[in-house]
Every structure is written in C-alpha cells, then in structure tokens.
C-alpha cells in the first residue's frame, strides 16, 4: 500500500473536482528579485546581456495568496535555485539604454527597500560583471509591479495565462491607484467541446 504523509494529509484543504486550478491573473503584485542573469539562451542563440546593456531579472511574488509561487519545485533546480529553463515564465529585462525607464525601475526598488540605493549599487558593479554574484545586492529586493498578460484556452477549455510586467511602481502608487491598468490580450477561442470560454477578471493583490 502506498504511504501517505498523514500530517500533511490532515492539514490539507479538500477540493472537489472542477478540473481547474488557481492561477495568477493580471493585476498589481508585490514582487522580489529571485536572481539576476547576465547571460541566457533563447531560440535565437546565446545572449550576453551586458553587450546589449541589459540583464535579466527573475522575479517571484513577495506577498499575498501567490507568495513564492515561483519557488515551487516545478520552477527550481535540484539545488533549489531558479531554473533558467523556466525564466521565461517569470522574468523581465533591466536595461540601461533608456535612462527614463531605468530610473523608474530604480525608484520602484528604492521606495520599497528603505536605505537601499539602486543607483549606488549599480555604479559599484564592474563594467565586465558577467558573474551574477556581482549583482547580488539586487537579489531579494522587493518592488511593486503592474502585471499584464495574454490568455488563451487549454485543451479542456480553461484559461491559460502568460504573464509579463507592464510597469514597475512605488508603494505610494499602489495606495493611490495612480498607475497603469494591466494590459490584457485575449486570445481565447471557443473550446472544442462547444462550451463557453471561462470568464476573465483582473486580480489586484494589494
């Protein structure tokens, strides 16, 4: 007979059918930086970010019902580190080609991490900082973001989301509501079984 962890079983909330699962949808979330990538692979080949004046920020959810969603075993390697093969599901670029956007991201980080100076931390990084450890000051830092995305339907007719960060914002913008709305692209079509598409709504985790 298979063995169950009885303690885990007893504290687990029972669910009755439905075929779906709770998933993140576009909205406003507090995030934190899981990792900084200076190099990564794409379908077009290997990318050395510093040559393009950017790094890849891998993020996770810092608070709310989806806290540490991307720390789940599916998203990490055998050592518990973010799996680079899953980065595309929860990452964004930090580029210093456009100073206005860079300043906006730094202000979002600084506002949520009192005493931290993003610009000073950035200036302290050597020009040839291909070692991700040289970006360690940014790892763990929190920021708020407006997350948008695309939705289509899986084979069973349930929503399937691909999420992306639309804007980095400050805690004050979260409180005041003075921020962009999530951008949503709806690619859903009528399910093969003839049922109606599931309803869509933005979730605000503030």
């Amino acid at each position: 007979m298979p063995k169950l962890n009885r303690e885990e079983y007893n504290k687990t909330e029972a669910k009755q059918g439905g075929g779906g699962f709770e998933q993140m949808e576009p909205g406003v979330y507090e995030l934190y930086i899981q990792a900084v990538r200076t190099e990564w692979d794409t379908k077009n080949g290997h990318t050395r970010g510093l040559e393009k004046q950017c790094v890849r920020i891998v993020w996770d959810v810092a608070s709310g019902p989806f806290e540490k969603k991307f720390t789940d075993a599916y998203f990490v390697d055998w050592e518990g580190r973010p799996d680079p093969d899953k980065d595309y599901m929860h990452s964004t670029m930090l580029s210093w080609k456009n100073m206005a956007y860079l300043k906006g991201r730094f202000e979002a980080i600084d506002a949520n991490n009192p005493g931290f100076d993003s610009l000073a931390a950035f200036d302290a990084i050597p020009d040839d900082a291909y070692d991700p450890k040289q970006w360690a000051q940014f790892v763990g830092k929190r920021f708020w973001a407006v997350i948008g995305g695309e939705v289509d339907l899986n084979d069973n007719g349930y929503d399937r989301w691909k999420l992306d960060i639309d804007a980095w914002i400050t805690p004050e913008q979260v409180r005041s509501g003075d921020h962009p709305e999530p951008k949503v692209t709806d690619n859903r079509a009528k399910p093969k079984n003839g049922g109606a598409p599931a309803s869509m709504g933005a979730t605000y985790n503030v």
Side-chain angles (χ1 to χ4, degrees):
M1 177 182 295
K3 297 294 184 182
L4 290 176
N5 182 323
R6 191 56 63 90
E7 181 181 355
E8 182 178 354
Y9 177 86
N10 289 338
K11 68 181 183 182
T12 297
E13 180 181 354
K15 294 184 179 179
Q16 277 75 36
F21 60 93
E22 188 176 12
Q23 59 179 318
M24 283 181 64
E25 296 182 358
V28 176
Y29 294 87
E30 185 183 27
L31 309 177
Y32 70 93
I33 298 173
Q34 265 192 324
V36 179
R37 310 285 195 208
T38 59
E39 301 184 48
W40 55 90
D41 292 320
T42 69
K43 62 182 179 180
N44 297 320
H46 189 71
T47 298
R48 292 167 63 90
L50 271 63
E51 295 175 359
K52 298 180 179 294
Q53 295 183 272
C54 67
V55 290
R56 193 172 195 173
I57 299 294
V58 183
W59 53 265
D60 199 354
V61 184
S63 59
F66 296 101
E67 182 177 353
K68 294 189 175 180
K69 170 182 173 63
F70 297 103
T71 308
D72 183 81
Y74 176 77
F75 298 100
V76 299
D77 62 20
W78 63 277
E79 293 183 334
R81 300 172 302 189
D83 184 350
D85 290 339
K86 307 293 194 317
D87 284 354
Y88 72 95
M89 302 178 73
H90 58 120
S91 66
T92 189
M93 296 300 168
L94 180 69
S95 170
W96 46 98
K97 283 185 177 181
N98 187 311
M99 289 296 173
Y101 282 110
L102 179 67
K103 188 173 183 178
R105 284 154 175 70
F106 282 174
E107 287 184 350
I109 294 173
D110 292 350
N112 212 44
N113 299 274
F116 183 70
D117 187 331
S118 296
L119 182 58
F122 181 83
D123 284 341
I125 298 171
D127 292 339
D128 58 348
Y130 280 100
D131 184 349
K133 293 179 181 177
Q134 293 173 298
W135 294 80
Q137 290 189 72
F138 285 93
V139 176
K141 296 300 181 288
R142 296 183 173 213
F143 63 98
W144 285 89
V146 177
I147 293 183
E150 298 185 17
V151 61
D152 61 9
L153 296 175
N154 65 18
D155 291 338
N156 294 319
Y158 290 96
D159 288 354
R160 174 173 52 193
W161 284 96
K162 295 179 181 178
L163 303 175
D164 197 12
I165 293 179
D166 289 340
W168 300 47
I169 59 177
T170 66
E172 177 56 35
Q173 287 177 287
V174 176
R175 288 189 288 269
S176 67
D178 184 20
H179 56 73
E181 291 296 312
K183 297 176 182 177
V184 175
T185 301
D186 190 346
N187 296 321
R188 294 176 298 178
K190 191 174 182 180
K192 294 178 181 179
N193 62 12
S199 60
M200 178 181 65
T203 299
Y204 287 84
N205 176 30
V206 182

